[in-house]
């Protein structure tokens, strides 16, 4: 069985997330998704997620093509997460090309194209304009 791992915040869940996760699952037989904790998201983006960690975990865990979900507490622990989950492939969006190549010694690293013109940041900005 080929195990796939990916990571994200998945805040303001949208079709771009669905498409990336579906394509990640096609890389193997079992998809594991690390969802960034609220604290990790704040440290990365300087803001709290719109949806709570529990809600984001439930959303991702309810997808039929996701087999396992866990909380990602630290960016520095990615190697540990890959090893603990026995992942064969790390899949990330192509906006991260090269950033995770350091893990090629323990798994395959695949960067998938993101859905054009769809991002949580763009959705959040449109929402602010409407207010």
């Amino acid at each position: 069985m080929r195990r796939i791992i990916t990571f994200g915040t998945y805040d303001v869940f949208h079709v771009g997330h669905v498409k990336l996760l579906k394509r990640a699952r096609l890389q193997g037989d079992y998809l594991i998704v690390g969802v960034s904790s609220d604290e990790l998201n704040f440290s990365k983006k300087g803001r709290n997620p719109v949806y709570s960690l529990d809600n984001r975990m439930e959303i991702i865990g309810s997808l039929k093509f996701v087999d396992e979900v866990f909380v990602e507490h630290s960016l520095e622990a990615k190697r540990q997460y890959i090893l603990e989950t026995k992942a064969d492939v790390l899949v990330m969006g192509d906006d991260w090309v090269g950033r995770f190549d350091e893990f090629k010694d323990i798994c395959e690293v695949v960067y998938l194209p993101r859905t054009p013109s769809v991002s949580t940041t763009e959705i959040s900005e449109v929402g602010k304009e409407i207010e």
Side-chain angles (χ1 to χ4, degrees):
M1 179 181 354
R2 194 163 143 98
R3 297 168 63 88
I4 311 305
I5 191 168
T6 191
F7 300 88
T9 300
Y10 305 105
D11 196 22
V12 189
F13 193 72
H14 54 71
V15 71
H17 293 132
V18 172
K19 289 181 177 186
L20 189 69
L21 289 169
K22 277 184 175 178
R23 287 183 288 139
R25 179 62 163 72
L26 291 174
Q27 299 292 313
D29 307 299
Y30 190 88
L31 179 59
I32 305 156
V33 180
V35 177
S36 300
S37 68
D38 293 343
E39 297 79 15
L40 178 56
N41 187 70
F42 189 84
S43 74
K44 289 190 302 188
K45 299 183 179 183
R47 64 174 170 79
N48 287 313
V50 173
Y51 294 105
S52 72
L53 176 60
D54 287 343
N55 286 345
R56 292 181 288 121
M57 295 281 291
E58 185 171 344
I59 289 166
I60 300 303
S62 71
L63 300 170
K64 66 182 178 184
F65 41 86
V66 173
D67 299 292
E68 186 179 327
V69 182
F70 70 95
V71 179
E72 178 188 20
H73 293 284
S74 168
L75 294 175
E76 290 74 34
K78 278 208 180 8
R79 179 174 294 274
Q80 176 185 335
Y81 296 135
I82 293 166
L83 292 170
E84 285 175 357
T85 60
K86 298 178 174 63
D88 301 297
V89 182
L90 167 63
V91 172
M92 297 299 290
D94 65 359
D95 53 331
W96 296 102
V97 168
R99 172 91 187 269
F100 299 104
D101 289 354
E102 67 184 276
F103 303 122
K104 287 182 175 182
D105 64 325
I106 57 171
C107 69
E108 182 181 344
V109 178
V110 174
Y111 300 99
L112 296 177
R114 295 176 62 107
T115 303
S117 302
V118 178
S119 77
T120 300
T121 303
E122 287 178 15
I123 292 169
S124 297
E125 292 303 314
V126 169
K128 286 178 188 173
E129 292 173 12
I130 294 171
E131 290 176 352

